[in-house]
């Protein structure tokens, strides 16, 4: 499955894992490939099988069936050669607590055959780069979760792996540390390291990955670039309007007119439950009637329900589901409203996010 | 065990380097925490020696020469028990809780070699414990048997005894979860310690035939008997060649069980 734009670094074919004494497959016929130098995101709800997949690819979990290739090596047949080419930052700390942080790096490098002088040098450089220089020779037990996470990433880099596995590398990190880890990931990407990243942070996936695979119950549900996945939900880019219909014009009539417009898939009325601060008016933005001076400006405040009364002359909030880019619909909508003398007090463009894609594919149920 | 053969061809040298590196890690950590090991291993045999051979002898309950019978047994016990404990306890914690061992399991060498490394380091610790037991015993008793011509046999049986202890330790350490660690102590270690002919010579057990059978089933018996054959041959003992044969066979058996249980634990 060599792609046109590069060689394959990781390939998983019909991979199945059933843990002993379990009656469902944790990984259930997974097939995907990661290009060399790519940052690949593996997303999925809790228990979807992400860690299991990483475990199989990193030779720590035995596959029930299927094939897994890594940097040209059959992971299941030749785990030793695979180990020499990969590194993994696990979901849970597995630092060697009998060693200092610095020794964690140097011993790890020694396991991977890095010579003494070289490994001491690399350890010093990495400790500095990861901001652990001052805490390099203390007890690992003294490390906070974020420091341990940074140390594990440094450890993963010291033997210069071709493929790097990061299992939820930023879970539990503060914003600074998260940005720091993001920068390191981008840096490795620039150096041509192939990265498989699992995460629950959709912004992280959108910001870092070239492509994401969304899995649930061990099965692949979607695989594409974040942008393409979002685009696929195109019917769901939305435009939210707060409008006061002209006297004599009803909200329903207005909706009918808007749906008739090209590019509008669907329109519905939503409760104007205290929306976000609007730009510039210094008052809750979509606050019904504000600025328009329409009737019931004050009376509408206690309850959004007031805006739901059919035929009421107060402002209403409408949501338009579009089949085109929301920005291109602004002008047509504004002119349509103008011809009906409706007053527009707030506009909000709702871009669907990767999270919407994720929820759409995996549902809202808790695992 | 295909992963034992393949890397010999393709990645043999990296596996050898990795093996030496993880061995060096364990030697390094053992050296750093030597006093922990000393307390762990030396204390039980030391008290045994002190109570049985010193206190009871002083009170006339045992003969003064009992010390010379007991010391070889204690040395065998130290080799066996240290090898067993110093690998079993860390393994239980590393697999069950800290996951520390993962980094070594991810080194480019076959999992079986990691087990072999554990056997080697545990055996080394066992031999170390046996070696320090001799001067300590001499200090406690004020006298100790000395027989240079027995040293080769002594080394062989201690090495094999420690190896058997290491194999049992790895097997237990990879079978037992942290929650059951105290059960391991009570149910397995204590009986092993007291049915191993360390405090009594096996051939003199004729009046207790059932206990003689039980003792014969404990590999530690052959280590203790072998050490006595080397150090105090006047005391009745099992023939050295039988000791060596049984110890070789048991070390082979427990090395294999250790490799199997280790592999099962390391590779889910
Ligand atoms: N050692 C194990 N024994 C039995 N079942 C397991 C084991 N490890 C994981 N599972 C099961 O396999 C499934 C997949 O688990 P996995 O850890 O791969 O999920 P995940 O996608 O990493 O989840 P999370 O986002 O919570 O980390 C789950 O149903 C889990 O209960
Ligand atoms: Mg996980």
């Amino acid at each position: 499955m060599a792609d046109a734009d590069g060689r394959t670094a990781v390939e998983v074919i019909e991979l199945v894992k059933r843990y002993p004494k379990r009656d469902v497959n944790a990984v259930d016929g997974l097939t995907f490939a990661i290009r060399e130098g790519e940052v690949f995101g593996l997303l999925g709800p809790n228990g979807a099988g992400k860690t299991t997949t990483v475990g199989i690819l990193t030779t720590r979990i035995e596959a029930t069936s299927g094939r897994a290739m890594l940097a040209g090596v059959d992971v299941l047949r030749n785990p030793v050669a695979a180990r020499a080419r990969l590194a993994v930052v696990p979901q849970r700390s597995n630092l060697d607590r009998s060693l200092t942080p610095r020794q964690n790096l140097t011993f790890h490098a020694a396991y991977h055959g890095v010579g003494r002088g070289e490994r001491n040098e690399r350890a010093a450089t990495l400790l500095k780069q990861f901001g652990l220089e001052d805490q390099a020779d203390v007890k690992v037990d003294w490390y906070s979760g974020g420091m341990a996470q940074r140390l594990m990433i440094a450890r993963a880099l010291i033997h210069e792996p071709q493929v790097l596995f990061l299992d939820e590398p930023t879970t539990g990190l503060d914003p600074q540390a998260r940005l720091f880890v993001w920068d390191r990931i981008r840096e490795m990407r620039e150096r041509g390291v192939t990265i498989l990243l699992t995460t629950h942070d959709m912004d992280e996936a959108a910001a870092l990955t070239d492509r994401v695979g969304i899995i649930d119950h061990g099965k692949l549900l979607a695989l594409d670039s974040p942008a393409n996945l979002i685009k696929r939900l195109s019917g769901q880019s939305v435009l939210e309007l707060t409008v006061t219909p002209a006297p004599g014009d009803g909200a329903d009539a207005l909706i009918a007119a808007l749906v008739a417009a090209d590019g509008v898939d669907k329109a519905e009325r939503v409760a104007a439950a205290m929306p976000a601060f609007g730009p510039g008016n210094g008052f809750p933005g979509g606050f019904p009637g504000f600025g328009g001076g329409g009737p019931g400006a004050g009376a509408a405040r206690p309850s959004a329900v007031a805006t739901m009364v059919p035929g009421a002359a107060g402002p209403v909030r409408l949501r338009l589901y579009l089949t085109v880019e929301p920005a291109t619909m602004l002008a047509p909508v504004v002119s349509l409203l103008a011809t009906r003398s409706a007053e527009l007090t707030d506009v909000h463009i709702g871009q669907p996010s990767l999270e919407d894609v994720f929820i759409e594919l995996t549902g809202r149920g808790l695992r | 065990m295909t992963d034992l053969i393949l890397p010999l061809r393709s990645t043999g040298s990296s596996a050898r380097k990795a093996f030496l590196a993880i061995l060096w890690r364990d030697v390094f950590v053992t050296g750093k925490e030597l006093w922990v090991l000393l307390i762990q291993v030396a204390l039980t045999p030391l008290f045994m020696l002190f109570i049985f051979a010193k206190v009871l002898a002083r009170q006339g309950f045992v003969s003064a020469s009992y010390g010379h019978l007991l010391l070889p047994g204690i040395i065998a016990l130290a080799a066996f028990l240290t090898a067993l404990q110093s690998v079993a306890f860390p393994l239980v914690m590393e697999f069950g809780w800290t996951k520390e061992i993962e980094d070594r399991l991810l080194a480019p060498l076959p999992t079986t070699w990691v087990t072999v490394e554990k056997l080697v380091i545990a055996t080394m610790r066992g031999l170390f414990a046996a070696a320090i037991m001799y001067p300590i015993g001499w200090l406690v008793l004020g006298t100790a048997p000395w027989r240079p011509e027995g040293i080769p046999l002594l080394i062989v049986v201690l090495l094999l005894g420690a190896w058997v202890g290491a194999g049992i330790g790895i097997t237990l350490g990879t079978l037992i979860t942290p929650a059951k660690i105290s059960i391991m102590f009570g149910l397995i270690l204590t009986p092993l310690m007291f049915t191993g002919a360390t405090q009594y010579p096996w051939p003199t057990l004729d009046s207790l035939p059932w206990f003689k059978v039980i003792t014969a089933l404990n590999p530690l018996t052959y280590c203790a008997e072998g050490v006595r054959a080397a150090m105090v041959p006047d005391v009745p003992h099992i023939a050295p060649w039988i000791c060596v044969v049984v110890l070789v066979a048991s070390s082979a058996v427990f090395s294999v069980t250790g490799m199997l249980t280790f592999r099962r634990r390391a590779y889910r």
Side-chain angles (χ1 to χ4, degrees):
Chain A
M1 198 166 133
D3 274 274
D5 43 345
R7 300 197 299 145
T8 306
V10 174
E11 190 172 10
V12 161
I13 303 159
E14 285 297 319
L15 199 64
V16 174
K17 172 64 184 181
R18 179 177 298 211
Y19 285 104
K21 293 179 221 147
R22 300 296 297 255
D23 50 9
V24 288
N25 292 335
V27 172
D28 197 8
L30 210 52
T31 301
F32 66 84
I34 306 177
R35 292 189 281 267
E36 229 168 62
E38 187 175 30
V39 179
F40 185 88
L42 205 52
L43 309 185
N46 290 138
K50 302 180 296 295
T51 300
T52 304
T53 307
V54 170
I56 294 171
L57 282 167
T58 55
T59 77
R60 293 282 292 111
I61 295 175
E62 186 170 22
T64 306
S65 67
R67 256 161 64 81
M69 301 289 294
L70 183 144
V73 172
D74 188 326
V75 179
L76 310 180
R77 291 233 189 98
N78 195 352
V80 177
R83 282 176 209 145
R85 290 161 174 77
L86 67 86
V88 54
V89 176
Q91 194 171 353
R92 231 192 89 188
S93 167
N94 65 356
L95 291 168
D96 196 331
R97 299 190 306 173
S98 307
L99 303 175
T100 66
R102 186 190 303 278
Q103 288 162 352
N104 263 277
L105 300 185
T106 51
F107 273 97
H108 177 90
Y111 304 158
H112 286 268
V114 180
R116 182 184 297 271
E118 179 73 28
R119 65 182 182 246
N120 289 338
E121 207 169 289
R122 283 192 205 171
T125 311
L126 282 165
L127 285 165
K128 190 167 181 182
Q129 194 188 4
F130 280 78
L132 298 168
E133 221 178 2
D134 301 333
Q135 308 278 319
D137 304 296
V138 300
K139 278 188 188 300
V140 166
D141 279 331
W142 297 355
Y143 267 26
S144 72
M147 291 163 80
Q149 188 71 8
R150 275 185 276 158
L151 184 61
M152 284 198 290
I153 298 175
R155 183 184 65 182
L157 298 182
I158 200 166
H159 69 278
E160 301 187 334
Q162 295 174 37
V163 183
L164 176 62
F165 294 86
L166 299 160
D167 199 355
E168 299 188 24
T170 58
T171 303
L173 295 190
D174 65 27
Q176 291 86 343
R178 177 162 49 232
L179 290 176
F180 176 84
V181 169
W182 286 15
D183 284 344
R184 295 290 83 71
I185 292 174
R186 293 196 179 103
E187 219 170 75
M188 287 174 247
R189 181 176 188 273
E190 245 136 66
R191 268 193 269 154
V193 180
T194 306
I195 296 171
L196 189 155
L197 168 88
T198 83
T199 182
H200 290 297
D201 181 347
M202 298 297 145
D203 295 335
E204 177 167 295
L208 290 178
T209 60
D210 299 307
R211 289 188 307 151
V212 297
I214 298 181
I215 64 171
D216 198 7
H217 303 298
K219 289 194 173 77
L220 191 69
L221 302 178
L223 193 159
D224 212 330
S225 67
N228 283 345
L229 283 175
I230 293 167
K231 220 179 280 164
R232 208 181 291 174
L233 284 187
S234 62
Q236 306 219 349
S237 67
V238 295
L239 202 56
E240 279 187 0
L241 313 168
T242 305
V243 190
T244 311
D249 199 2
D252 293 330
L254 207 52
I255 288 174
L258 285 165
V259 172
D262 271 346
V264 180
D265 188 34
K266 207 168 61 162
E268 65 183 19
R269 200 201 283 199
V270 290
M274 279 303 164
F277 278 76
N281 73 8
F283 211 78
F287 188 67
F290 188 81
R301 186 171 189 177
S303 163
V305 176
T307 65
M308 298 296 286
V309 179
V316 288
R317 246 164 108 75
L318 306 175
R319 184 178 290 158
L320 309 183
Y321 293 86
L322 309 178
T323 53
V324 295
E325 281 292 307
T328 64
M329 282 307 291
L330 276 177
V333 165
V334 168
S335 64
L336 189 148
L337 291 173
T339 55
R340 298 180 72 105
S341 308
E343 191 174 4
L344 182 64
T345 48
D346 186 58
V347 178
H348 182 78
I349 293 178
Q351 285 286 12
S353 65
L354 198 54
E355 184 152 332
D356 298 319
V357 179
F358 186 86
I359 296 289
E360 167 91 9
L361 287 169
T362 60
R364 286 184 172 275
L366 208 56
R367 308 307 157 94
Chain B
M1 265 179 219
T2 49
D3 73 341
L4 188 66
I5 297 122
L6 267 173
L8 286 179
R9 256 184 289 123
S10 52
T11 37
S13 100
S14 81
R16 255 195 313 277
K17 274 190 197 161
F19 180 85
L20 292 176
I22 62 171
L23 183 60
W24 167 233
R25 182 264 174 205
D26 275 345
V27 170
F28 178 80
V29 170
T30 307
K32 224 171 58 164
E33 291 161 2
L34 201 61
W35 64 274
V36 179
L37 181 71
L38 284 177
I39 289 174
Q40 197 183 36
V41 304
L43 234 49
T44 308
L46 195 68
F47 273 105
M48 237 185 228
L49 199 63
F50 179 71
I51 296 296
F52 289 112
K54 193 79 180 178
V55 177
L56 295 184
R58 219 18 101 68
Q59 294 173 310
F61 289 112
V62 298
S63 80
S65 63
Y66 180 60
H68 279 207
L69 189 157
L70 185 58
L71 182 59
I74 292 294
I75 290 175
L77 180 67
F80 178 83
L81 205 60
T82 303
L84 194 159
Q85 289 190 26
S86 75
V87 71
F89 286 116
L91 276 183
V92 171
M93 296 317 287
E94 290 187 13
F95 271 122
W97 184 240
T98 67
K99 310 282 177 199
E100 269 171 45
I101 201 164
E102 277 181 355
D103 196 33
R104 277 163 278 157
L105 294 173
L106 283 164
L109 80 171
T111 306
T112 320
W113 289 27
V114 183
T115 321
V116 172
E117 184 273 336
K118 286 282 166 213
L119 283 168
V120 170
I121 185 73
T123 304
M124 283 164 60
R125 289 184 187 137
L127 286 177
F128 168 78
I132 61 161
M133 262 343 274
Y134 184 83
I136 289 178
W138 185 74
L139 281 177
V140 171
L141 300 174
T143 152
W146 175 247
R147 192 170 163 266
E149 30 327 356
I151 287 178
L153 175 64
L154 183 69
I155 290 176
V156 168
V157 290
L158 283 177
L159 185 87
L160 289 170
W163 191 273
V164 176
I168 294 175
I170 290 173
T171 310
L172 291 177
T174 47
L175 282 177
I176 286 169
T177 56
K180 298 199 182 94
I181 205 160
S182 56
I183 296 184
M184 162 168 137
F185 235 142
L187 229 54
I188 301 169
L189 281 191
T190 312
L192 269 181
M193 276 167 64
F194 289 98
T195 61
T198 52
Q199 304 93 342
Y200 49 88
W202 183 81
T204 61
L205 280 178
D206 287 337
S207 56
L208 279 173
W210 63 272
F211 192 59
K212 196 170 184 182
V213 172
I214 288 178
T215 303
L217 293 175
N218 186 343
L220 174 56
T221 298
Y222 302 89
C223 183
E225 289 288 317
V227 174
R228 272 196 287 272
M231 288 174 73
V232 285
D234 298 342
V235 176
H237 55 79
I238 299 174
W241 72 267
I242 296 179
C243 294
V244 171
V245 167
V246 174
L247 286 174
V248 167
S250 347
S251 55
V253 168
F254 288 110
S255 297
V256 171
T257 59
M259 282 175 194
L260 293 176
T261 54
F262 189 98
R263 199 187 149 76
R264 218 191 52 169
R265 197 72 200 266
Y267 195 51
R268 274 170 295 158

